[in-house]
Amino acid sequence: MEGEGRSDMEYTYTEIQTNTAYLDNSIIFHVVKNVVGFILYMHQQIPSVLQDISFEYETFKEEYKELETALAQAEPKASVRRKNLSRRREVKGGIRRLDKLMNTVNRLESALQLIINEIPNLESFLLVLGASPLRPQHVYELCFSHGGPVLTASTDFSTSRAAEGLSRKAVRTLITMDAGSGSYPGPTKLFLFVKVPSSLNLPLHFLPKRDFRYSKKIVPVRLRLKCKSQDLEIDVPDCASQRNTSISLKDSSSNDLIWFQCRHVIKGLAFTTPTDQE
């Protein structure tokens, strides 16, 4: 792709080290998940951090159930019923406002878990922000350099101290690189790409994009996350192109690795910022 064609000398990776012996499924999932949330928030695609929005959404749904139950019961006081009906309309509006965003985020996270479980030692991820992947506003690349042997598939994606610590490091690093410092562009889209063997067959979640290219005008932000125990003397290959690598990806007997685009595209919310109100 055009974004890959540049040399490492032109666009180098910013390296982040972790003390863990290897990067397991859970660590990779939570780092990508948290960086997705960071990008959405810092580029003003959501009004608050994703964890707070998720909590607000679940709280709305629980309150809606409680109001439905209360309204189904015989209520002697008409004033209380009117109050509950009014609040139910407000809560329903809150659910409707967040519903599409949270459903898409949940589907993207499920697809991410599925492909990480299918190919446990994934290395390259692209997060593309813009109206189109071909002409994005921002591109973020995450490369995971595994320090241990090829891991077996695991469905345990529970968070851990290692995952939380590395996620914080990644977010802090992006902040120091002025990620999200650009002007507010209005609601746009976030696309997820994963570089995997071309034989991957998950059509409900990922589509092959063998010739994917984004604009040469875009300077990608590139992070390489690696284990501290990894031999630093080894010449680490370009994780974006995966040329001449010795990685062992499941179902891959060659280096025929291509980008696959996740079908679940997150669209930012339209909301009023403090600047807009001035």
Side-chain angles (χ1 to χ4, degrees):
M1 61 186 271
E2 292 181 15
E4 291 178 337
R6 306 174 178 95
S7 67
D8 279 345
M9 292 297 293
E10 187 175 354
Y11 294 139
T12 60
Y13 287 93
T14 298
E15 293 193 349
I16 302 174
Q17 290 188 344
T18 176
N19 292 326
T20 58
Y22 54 85
L23 300 175
D24 60 23
N25 289 4
S26 177
I27 291 177
I28 294 173
F29 168 72
H30 284 285
V31 169
V32 176
K33 171 186 172 180
N34 283 295
V35 170
V36 166
F38 167 81
I39 292 172
L40 290 172
Y41 178 61
M42 292 303 291
H43 287 286
Q44 302 183 49
Q45 296 305 303
I46 51 179
S48 58
V49 295
L50 198 54
Q51 292 89 335
D52 289 349
I53 292 179
S54 178
F55 178 77
E56 180 183 11
Y57 180 65
E58 294 301 324
T59 301
F60 276 147
K61 290 198 297 184
E62 288 297 322
E63 185 178 359
Y64 189 83
K65 291 179 182 178
E66 293 173 1
L67 290 167
E68 287 279 83
T69 302
L71 289 167
Q73 299 172 352
E75 178 55 62
K77 294 183 178 180
S79 60
V80 174
R81 182 171 180 82
R82 285 196 300 270
K83 182 180 178 181
N84 286 341
L85 284 170
S86 177
R87 179 57 184 166
R88 186 180 68 171
R89 285 194 295 270
E90 294 176 3
V91 171
K92 188 175 182 180
I95 293 173
R96 188 182 299 113
R97 176 173 59 89
L98 300 176
D99 197 53
K100 186 174 182 179
L101 170 71
M102 293 312 303
N103 285 338
T104 305
V105 168
N106 290 335
R107 286 195 294 268
L108 183 141
E109 290 179 0
S110 296
L112 187 59
Q113 290 180 352
L114 185 64
I115 197 168
I116 291 175
N117 193 53
E118 180 77 11
I119 306 174
N121 59 335
L122 275 173
E123 295 197 1
S124 296
F125 298 81
L126 279 183
L127 300 172
V128 180
L129 189 71
S132 164
L134 302 180
R135 297 188 180 280
Q137 296 168 355
H138 304 277
V139 174
Y140 295 85
E141 182 177 343
L142 302 178
C143 173
F144 294 87
S145 296
H146 301 268
V150 176
L151 303 178
T152 57
S154 171
T155 57
D156 181 14
F157 287 97
S158 58
T159 189
S160 63
R161 290 181 62 184
E164 292 175 352
L166 191 56
S167 295
R168 285 194 297 269
K169 283 185 177 181
V171 168
R172 285 198 299 265
T173 301
L174 290 172
I175 291 174
T176 62
M177 299 170 73
D178 291 329
S181 61
S183 60
Y184 174 60
T188 188
K189 299 176 183 178
L190 181 65
F191 304 86
L192 169 68
F193 288 80
V194 184
K195 176 155 279 192
V196 293
S198 58
S199 58
L200 178 73
N201 186 26
L202 294 175
L204 295 180
H205 301 284
F206 292 91
L207 297 175
K209 299 291 181 179
R210 184 179 292 274
D211 298 322
F212 171 60
R213 291 180 170 85
Y214 60 81
S215 172
K216 291 181 178 180
K217 297 178 181 179
I218 299 300
V219 179
V221 176
R222 309 172 80 184
L223 298 183
R224 176 182 285 128
L225 301 100
K226 59 193 302 183
C227 303
K228 192 173 183 179
S229 59
Q230 201 168 344
D231 185 1
L232 301 181
E233 298 300 322
I234 296 177
D235 183 19
V236 181
D238 181 358
C239 294
S241 64
Q242 299 287 5
R243 291 186 295 268
N244 301 320
T245 70
S246 58
I247 63 173
S248 176
L249 289 172
K250 183 179 179 181
D251 299 329
S252 177
S253 58
S254 67
N255 290 331
D256 184 22
L257 304 177
I258 65 172
W259 289 112
F260 276 74
Q261 180 183 338
C262 183
R263 300 186 65 163
H264 312 302
V265 178
I266 301 176
K267 185 176 181 180
L269 294 175
F271 62 95
T272 302
T273 64
T275 302
D276 296 331
Q277 294 175 335
E278 294 177 357

